[in-house]
Amino acid sequence: MSEDERRIRALITRWADAVHRGDLEAVLADHAEDLRLYYVTPPHEGLHGLAAYRALWPPFFAWQAQGALFEIDVLDVASGPEVAFAHALLRCGTPEELAERPTLRLRLTFGLRKRRGRWLITHEHHSFPHD
């Protein structure tokens, strides 16, 4: 594993931990201002920009505070000198939802760019499989 891949893995792990804790500033910390997000819920054209991304999290944190899990199960990273790609599967749901569907995983894809020597998330895509 390259040093860049280790850094990206650590960045995504910190992000997931921040989401789990409901720490909005830490969730935003390694995201580019011009971020593009495709999310589970509408709008279907996605969200653009850090302000829109910031607004997305408080309702999720409120739902998660009721006991939901948000933890990485699988994380794969591939990086080049200035662009990287990662995908992950996460356990995301209430204990009841996960007991009913134990194999259910949230699918995440990240696109990252190295800007001035720092990796930033510039693209996220979150989805659940459609049964």
Side-chain angles (χ1 to χ4, degrees):
M1 183 182 312
S2 74
E3 181 60 28
D4 280 331
E5 289 169 349
R6 278 192 280 280
R7 287 180 182 172
I8 292 164
R9 180 176 287 279
L11 181 155
I12 292 170
T13 300
R14 280 191 314 271
W15 170 85
D17 290 344
V19 171
H20 181 71
R21 292 189 322 271
D23 182 345
L24 183 57
E25 294 311 311
V27 168
L28 302 174
D30 294 305
H31 285 74
E33 195 66 45
D34 60 347
L35 167 77
R36 173 70 70 172
L37 170 72
Y38 295 106
Y39 194 59
V40 174
T41 60
H44 298 293
E45 65 275 8
L47 300 173
H48 187 255
L50 205 52
Y53 186 71
R54 173 187 290 277
L56 171 79
W57 289 105
F60 180 85
F61 293 154
W63 169 80
Q64 186 178 241
Q66 300 170 27
L69 296 176
F70 191 88
E71 60 187 28
I72 294 174
D73 187 27
V74 176
L75 174 59
D76 293 309
V77 176
S79 67
E82 296 180 14
V83 177
F85 169 82
H87 58 87
L89 297 174
L90 283 83
R91 288 180 193 89
C92 180
T94 65
E96 297 79 21
E97 290 168 334
L98 294 172
E100 183 179 310
R101 298 178 63 198
T103 62
L104 180 65
R105 296 295 181 270
L106 175 65
R107 303 174 298 191
L108 297 175
T109 304
F110 299 91
L112 301 97
R113 289 189 177 271
K114 191 184 272 187
R115 294 184 177 162
R116 292 190 291 270
R118 179 178 173 216
W119 286 105
L120 293 173
I121 298 170
T122 58
H123 176 85
E124 279 186 40
H125 189 150
H126 302 196
S127 68
F128 279 107
H130 180 63
D131 294 333

